[in-house]
Amino acid sequence: MDKNAMGTRIRPGEGGELRDGVTVTDRVHAHLRGTQDSLTTPFLVRENAWARDVFAASVQWMQGHGLLTGERRQWLEKCDIGALLGLTNPHADRHLLRLAGDWYVWLYAFDDGVCDEAFTGAQAWDMAHLTLRLKRAVTGFTPGMEPEENYARALFDLRCRIAEHATPAQLVRWTEAVRDYLNGQLWETMYRATGRTPALDDYIAMRESASGCLTCFALFPVLNRYDLAEEERAHPDVEQLSRSANRIIAWDNDLFSYWKEQGDHSAIANLITAVAQQRQCETAAAITYTRKRRDDELATFLRTEKRIARYLSTEGKKYIANLRNWVSGSLEFHKTSRRFAPAPRPVHL
């Protein structure tokens, strides 16, 4: 879903001393921090008053399924994912918000415990095997009781509870989004395992699935008790709004997580790295270009919303409002969470 905190490396060939003792690393790091601090959206930031209490219960659910233990679980709790839950779902029903809380904690546990830092995150074959089991679970097949099936069992449990509140079509949308997310994670793992940086267009396409945002968007109608008609959801402008929101959120995350990824796996699956390779430019220029692409995508969102606003149904307007809340809430979380603090955290494998 996201890519943690920060690390300390830059692209090869960009080291060396500048005058007054300032290194290229320092200059690029300062440029990145300035870019992060200056990111904005025109959308209001709101927070669900029940989110932190709900998320505490979700952490207990995670612990009951054995998804993260010890220092990893403590780190996840310190990152205050409960704030993200509230910021991105400010008007969700308190009871139904628990479904999102469990999904968020599953995503972050999977990200921290498997994709980025566990051994399966570096082994494409292991990830492929795990992904297959997870796809079966989210589709409705009961997982086994082996210890390695803990993520599948938790996913199956959540899928069954979502089914109690979702329409059949809403459940299918969420299931398909989760399967696409798992494909995206497998794609990232394959690139890390081979040490290859994806082409820019390939990265942009696959990041839309790997970000995990579409899985959260699919839950909007369930959490907020409305039913978005398939014809309206599939309208080209509504799809564009979903795509733009997803890209803004994912690219904000790439900007905030770049240094941490440099320390872990050379930021192979990051927009900044893909830009630098495609345009044959240094990291500072790639950061500037990434920021421009992000702001252009925000402008696309605003133009599209203005064009379609008067044609939207009540349910369609609620969906677009949910997208705006996710964009602004995610950015607020990135700016305030310890998960993205400047100081690198130790990684315990």
Side-chain angles (χ1 to χ4, degrees):
M1 187 175 182
D2 83 344
K3 302 175 183 173
N4 297 346
M6 290 191 174
T8 54
R9 286 172 44 191
I10 60 173
R11 286 169 53 80
E14 294 187 25
E17 267 320 287
L18 295 180
R19 24 184 203 186
D20 300 324
V22 179
T23 66
V24 174
T25 304
D26 295 333
R27 177 171 59 83
V28 173
H29 198 176
H31 179 49
L32 181 59
R33 289 295 296 169
T35 300
Q36 294 165 355
D37 292 342
S38 65
L39 291 173
T40 62
T41 79
F43 312 133
L44 294 176
V45 176
R46 303 178 176 90
E47 187 168 3
N48 193 308
W50 305 109
R52 295 175 192 273
D53 289 339
V54 169
F55 195 76
S58 293
V59 170
Q60 293 299 314
W61 174 82
M62 174 191 73
Q63 192 170 6
H65 282 283
L67 301 188
L68 283 182
T69 59
E71 292 183 0
R72 291 187 185 188
R73 180 179 63 80
Q74 293 172 11
W75 170 246
L76 184 67
E77 293 185 54
K78 290 178 181 178
C79 292
D80 198 15
I81 310 301
L84 177 66
L85 177 66
L87 290 165
T88 53
N89 300 281
H91 305 301
D93 178 277
R94 179 186 181 183
H95 173 65
L96 297 175
L97 189 63
R98 174 64 190 277
L99 298 175
D102 288 3
W103 180 232
Y104 283 25
V105 82
W106 190 97
L107 284 171
Y108 276 93
F110 188 65
D111 191 58
D112 286 359
V114 178
C115 298
D116 282 354
E117 296 174 11
F119 73 96
T120 50
Q123 300 293 330
W125 175 256
D126 292 333
M127 180 63 91
H129 186 57
L130 175 58
T131 296
L132 178 61
R133 297 201 300 268
L134 294 173
K135 286 182 178 180
R136 287 177 54 83
V138 78
T139 305
F141 292 92
T142 306
M145 296 306 296
E146 296 80 9
E148 62 270 19
E149 295 277 8
N150 56 342
Y151 280 92
R153 286 194 299 272
L155 185 56
F156 178 77
D157 171 72
L158 179 56
R159 190 252 187 208
C160 291
R161 289 188 288 121
I162 289 175
E164 294 175 1
H165 301 280
T167 67
Q170 289 170 350
L171 182 62
V172 167
R173 290 171 194 161
W174 181 73
T175 298
E176 290 178 346
V178 173
R179 291 169 66 90
D180 284 344
Y181 161 75
L182 294 169
N183 287 337
Q185 291 302 317
L186 180 58
W187 169 84
E188 286 194 2
T189 300
M190 292 173 65
Y191 273 101
R192 290 190 194 126
T194 60
R196 296 171 54 201
T197 298
L200 180 57
D201 288 345
D202 291 344
Y203 177 80
I204 290 173
M206 288 308 302
R207 184 75 165 105
E208 291 179 12
S209 296
S211 72
C213 292
L214 296 180
T215 67
C216 299
F217 296 174
L219 288 177
F220 287 163
V222 180
L223 303 178
N224 295 278
R225 297 183 183 275
Y226 64 87
D227 189 14
L228 182 65
E230 178 62 25
E231 182 179 1
E232 187 167 27
R233 187 193 70 85
H235 188 282
D237 283 339
V238 175
E239 287 197 336
Q240 179 61 60
L241 288 166
S242 299
R243 185 182 309 111
S244 291
N246 187 5
R247 287 178 174 178
I248 295 163
I249 295 162
W251 298 349
D252 282 353
N253 178 256
D254 282 1
L255 285 163
F256 276 89
S257 63
Y258 177 73
W259 285 105
K260 168 61 167 61
E261 292 182 19
Q262 276 285 343
D264 283 356
H265 39 67
S266 300
I268 287 173
N270 188 291
L271 184 58
I272 295 171
T273 307
V275 166
Q277 174 181 264
Q278 186 87 6
R279 296 172 66 86
Q280 292 296 294
C281 63
E282 294 187 352
T283 302
I287 292 169
T288 299
Y289 183 78
T290 297
R291 167 64 185 273
K292 181 182 183 303
R293 290 292 297 263
R294 181 264 188 199
D295 288 347
D296 288 347
E297 204 64 48
L298 178 58
T300 297
F301 184 101
L302 295 174
R303 285 196 306 271
T304 305
E305 182 184 18
K306 183 177 181 179
R307 181 173 61 244
I308 197 178
R310 61 177 175 167
Y311 302 109
L312 290 170
S313 67
T314 299
E315 293 75 18
K317 291 177 180 177
K318 289 180 179 179
Y319 179 77
I320 305 312
N322 293 152
L323 291 176
R324 291 198 301 266
N325 289 331
W326 235 104
V327 170
S328 62
S330 175
L331 179 58
E332 180 70 11
F333 172 71
H334 278 77
K335 288 190 172 187
T336 58
S337 174
R338 291 180 61 180
R339 191 173 183 87
F340 304 97
R345 67 181 176 87
V347 177
H348 301 278
L349 299 179

